[in-house]
Amino acid sequence: DDYLTCPLKYRYSHILNLPVMRHHLVAYGSALHKAVEAFFKQRLDGKEMREEELLAAFEGAWRSEGFLTEEHEQLRLAQGQETLRRFYRQQQEAPERPMLIEEKFKFPLGDLLVVGRWDRVDRQGNEIVIIDYKSSEVREQAEADRRTRESLQLLVYALAWRTLHGELPVRVELRFLEPGLIGQVHITEEHMVRAEASLREAAEGIRAGKFDARPAEHQCRWCAFQAICPFAFHIR
């Protein structure tokens, strides 16, 4: 995804390994993700997590990185706690039991080896649903659905399941924790063709050493390397 977004970003991050401070949105989202993961893993072990344990898991995963001020960090910490309280209430009212949580996968694709991890896989009747959680502040259902449609990550998850289990997932979902919105896409074989093509495109470019910049306003604004990238300046 880094390569397809901007090959130069891929070079900075994965070849030159330039050190960057994590953005506060990444630190915040990672702590939320770890808390939700701990909640479902405990449920799969036959134990129910208490609300205070969920909040403790969040606080234990918290890292003070990238926040603008101490006040900013405390505001985000409180926001995350309220988000998880709402998540906990929803899980008490309508409990869910995933089939897999944070399960690793690996599969060959021609001369490529694709390695990753499913965040969450559910079996609903005879159907497979693949789910990922996001902390992004998405407020409209149309935007949630658009983000889901454009997610290469989810398509690769679906491709991995189809390849390894011979079964096409019925849909993929992005669950936005803060607003409680769920973006959904029903998966078809066309999606699998698109996922394979994206993986091959990235692999071919990386192997050929093609690392040209692809500046775009939104991408450069959120790029960790914008301060050192000469191609980002002209769109500021």
Side-chain angles (χ1 to χ4, degrees):
D1 188 67
D2 276 352
Y3 185 85
L4 295 175
T5 298
C6 176
L8 184 57
K9 176 183 178 180
Y10 178 92
R11 182 171 185 266
Y12 284 153
S13 181
H14 304 284
I15 295 178
L16 300 179
N17 295 313
L18 297 182
V20 293
M21 179 181 290
R22 284 208 307 178
H23 195 279
H24 61 82
L25 292 176
V26 176
Y28 175 73
S30 177
L32 278 179
H33 192 279
K34 289 291 186 183
V36 170
E37 175 189 342
F39 176 88
F40 281 122
K41 280 189 171 180
Q42 191 157 315
R43 177 168 283 179
L44 289 181
D45 288 338
K47 305 172 184 176
E48 282 299 314
M49 182 177 279
R50 301 191 306 274
E51 183 179 291
E52 56 267 31
E53 292 177 309
L54 177 64
L55 297 178
F58 173 63
E59 292 160 12
W62 188 264
R63 298 292 179 268
S64 298
E65 296 179 312
F67 294 96
L68 305 179
T69 63
E70 184 176 348
E71 181 183 17
H72 177 229
E73 179 179 353
Q74 292 305 311
L75 286 171
R76 292 297 274 168
L77 184 63
Q79 185 177 6
Q81 291 167 336
E82 180 54 36
T83 295
L84 288 172
R85 289 190 185 100
R86 186 165 56 250
F87 166 82
Y88 185 84
R89 289 194 298 270
Q90 292 169 345
Q91 285 299 319
Q92 299 311 298
E93 294 168 1
E96 295 179 301
R97 187 178 181 83
M99 182 172 70
L100 297 174
I101 290 290
E102 292 297 320
E103 185 79 9
K104 294 180 181 179
F105 63 77
K106 180 168 61 176
F107 68 95
L109 181 65
D111 60 349
L112 306 179
L113 182 64
V114 184
V115 179
R117 186 193 305 265
W118 293 294
D119 287 13
R120 172 178 165 181
V121 180
D122 288 16
R123 182 171 289 281
Q124 299 176 3
N126 294 322
E127 299 176 337
I128 290 294
V129 179
I130 296 178
I131 297 168
D132 191 22
Y133 286 92
K134 295 296 180 186
S135 58
S136 311
E137 295 184 2
V138 172
R139 299 301 176 188
E140 301 291 336
Q141 185 62 53
E143 175 65 8
D145 290 336
R146 183 191 67 80
R147 292 277 297 274
T148 308
R149 284 196 306 272
E150 295 178 358
S151 173
L152 175 60
Q153 176 187 12
L154 287 175
L155 292 189
V156 173
Y157 287 171
L159 177 63
W161 190 270
R162 200 277 306 270
T163 302
L164 293 171
H165 298 279
E167 179 181 12
L168 190 67
V170 65
R171 70 178 183 276
V172 294
E173 295 182 355
L174 279 184
R175 297 197 178 187
F176 296 89
L177 286 165
E178 286 192 5
L181 293 174
I182 301 176
Q184 297 183 343
V185 170
H186 288 270
I187 295 297
T188 67
E189 285 296 336
E190 291 182 4
H191 290 107
M192 300 299 89
V193 172
R194 176 178 149 198
E196 289 190 19
S198 296
L199 290 169
R200 295 184 194 282
E201 178 186 348
E204 288 171 6
I206 292 165
R207 286 170 171 166
K210 296 179 179 178
F211 299 113
D212 297 331
R214 294 179 186 169
E217 183 175 358
H218 178 76
Q219 292 166 188
C220 290
R221 179 181 294 124
W222 296 106
C223 180
F225 304 102
Q226 64 159 304
I228 65 168
C229 178
F231 300 96
F233 286 108
H234 74 281
I235 66 165
R236 290 180 180 178

